[in-house]
Amino acid sequence: MWNRSITPVVFRIGLSCRTGYSHTVPGQFVMVRPVDQQSPLLGRPFSIYSLIKADGEVVGIELLVKVVGEGTGRLAGLREGNTVALLGPLGNGFDIRRDAGKHLIVGGGIGVAPLVFLAEAMIAKGVAAHQCDVLIGGRSSTDLLGIEQFNNLRTPVHLVTEDGSAGEKGMVTSRLEQIIAIRRPEQVYACGPWAMLAVLAGIVETHRIPCQVSIETMMGCGMGACLSCVVHTRDPSTPYRHACKDGPVMDTRLIQF
C-alpha cells in the first residue's frame, strides 16, 4: 500500500487487494476503514479511482481521498504496511456507450474520483481519446484533480475555476453549455456536488442529451440497510431508491433534483 499527497487535503491511496476486483466497473465504490480504528466506527465510501495492475492482473485499487473529517483524516494518515477493512466493489457503475460518437466527462472537485477510471475503461473499450472531452471544474486551481491522468490518456481537457486561477473563469455548468454548442456530445457522464449535478441535469435535459451521474452522498453501510443514502426519484412506482444499491450511478432523467 502507498499514500501520496496531491494537495494538503487530497491524497492518492493505493491498496493491495489481489482478489475480487478484476471485474470492477467504473463508478463502483468501496467502504474503507483502518482495522484499528475505534472512532468513527463505520467505514467511509470511496469511488474507485483506478485499478492497479501488474503483468496484466489487477493487484489493487487506488482511491482519491479528500480530508473532510475524522474518518478521512485517519485514512489520510495511513502508511505503507497499515491494514484496512475493505468492502467492495459495491453498487452499479457507468454504462459505457461505445455507439456514441462524442462523449463528455464532467467532474467537479473531488467528483473527479470515479471519472479517471471511467476514461481509462472507455479508451480500453475502443473509444477514441479525441472523441472523449473532459471538463473539470473547481473553486480554485487546487480543486482541479486528475489532470495528469487525463492528459496521459490524451483526452481533450477543459478547465474551469470560479476564481479564475486556472483555465477559464466561471462555473463548470456555464462551460458545459459552451461545449455543447460547439461540440455537442451524444453522451454525458458526471460526478460532483449535488447542486452542480442539478444544474447539469437541467442543461442536458434541455438539449436532450442522455446523462449518467455518480451521486455523492453519505453512506453508513454501503448495502442498503442503513437507509442513509436515499435518493428521491421521478418514478411514482419507486419514489425513493438507494444510492448504494441502485446507484451510485443513475440516469439524470430518473432523479428528482
Side-chain angles (χ1 to χ4, degrees):
M1 187 189 77
W2 42 261
N3 189 346
R4 300 168 183 165
S5 175
I6 305 302
T7 75
V9 296
V10 178
F11 299 80
R12 285 176 63 180
I13 299 177
L15 302 176
S16 174
C17 43
R18 293 183 175 272
T19 59
Y21 289 86
S22 59
H23 299 291
T24 304
V25 177
Q28 288 186 300
F29 68 98
V30 293
M31 299 293 291
V32 188
R33 65 185 295 274
V35 293
D36 59 350
Q37 175 178 302
Q38 300 300 318
S39 175
L41 178 63
L42 299 175
R44 293 293 183 265
F46 294 95
S47 296
I48 295 172
Y49 189 57
S50 187
L51 298 180
I52 303 171
K53 297 183 179 181
D55 298 324
E57 298 292 330
V58 176
V59 297
I61 60 173
E62 187 175 356
L63 308 179
L64 194 65
V65 176
K66 181 177 181 179
V67 178
V68 294
E70 183 181 357
T72 48
R74 289 182 180 275
L75 290 172
L78 290 172
R79 295 293 179 264
E80 185 173 355
N82 292 156
T83 303
V84 299
L86 187 65
L87 177 64
L90 301 171
N92 296 304
F94 291 99
D95 179 16
I96 299 173
R97 284 190 54 199
R98 283 176 286 183
D99 62 319
K102 295 184 180 69
H103 304 256
L104 176 60
I105 295 174
V106 185
I110 197 67
V112 164
L115 303 179
V116 166
F117 184 14
L118 172 62
E120 292 173 342
M122 289 173 67
I123 292 172
K125 287 179 177 290
V127 175
H130 69 275
Q131 293 286 70
C132 180
D133 284 74
V134 177
L135 172 58
I136 306 173
R139 290 191 177 92
S140 68
S141 59
T142 58
D143 296 310
L144 302 179
L145 305 169
I147 299 172
E148 180 182 356
Q149 287 71 39
F150 289 121
N151 284 336
N152 288 340
L153 294 171
R154 300 188 177 182
T155 59
V157 178
H158 311 266
L159 304 178
V160 180
T161 51
E162 294 177 26
D163 65 0
S165 56
E168 293 191 14
K169 183 176 182 179
M171 305 294 289
V172 67
T173 48
S174 299
R175 181 61 176 143
L176 171 63
E177 290 269 27
Q178 296 171 1
I179 292 174
I180 290 175
I182 298 170
R183 186 176 162 83
R184 178 187 171 91
E186 295 176 36
Q187 175 69 50
V188 176
Y189 314 82
C191 183
W194 186 263
M196 182 199 95
L197 296 182
V199 176
L200 179 146
I203 293 172
V204 296
E205 186 169 353
T206 297
H207 291 278
R208 299 183 179 180
I209 302 172
C211 178
Q212 302 170 40
V213 296
S214 178
I215 300 169
E216 295 182 337
T217 183
M218 291 299 296
M219 295 182 187
C221 68
M223 297 180 290
C226 68
L227 307 180
S228 64
C229 64
V230 171
V231 177
H232 191 196
T233 77
R234 299 182 184 183
D235 183 358
S237 65
T238 314
Y240 296 98
R241 300 194 186 185
H242 297 93
C244 63
K245 290 180 63 178
D246 303 307
V249 177
M250 296 184 181
D251 191 302
T252 53
R253 292 168 293 188
L254 175 67
I255 304 168
Q256 181 65 58
F257 286 99

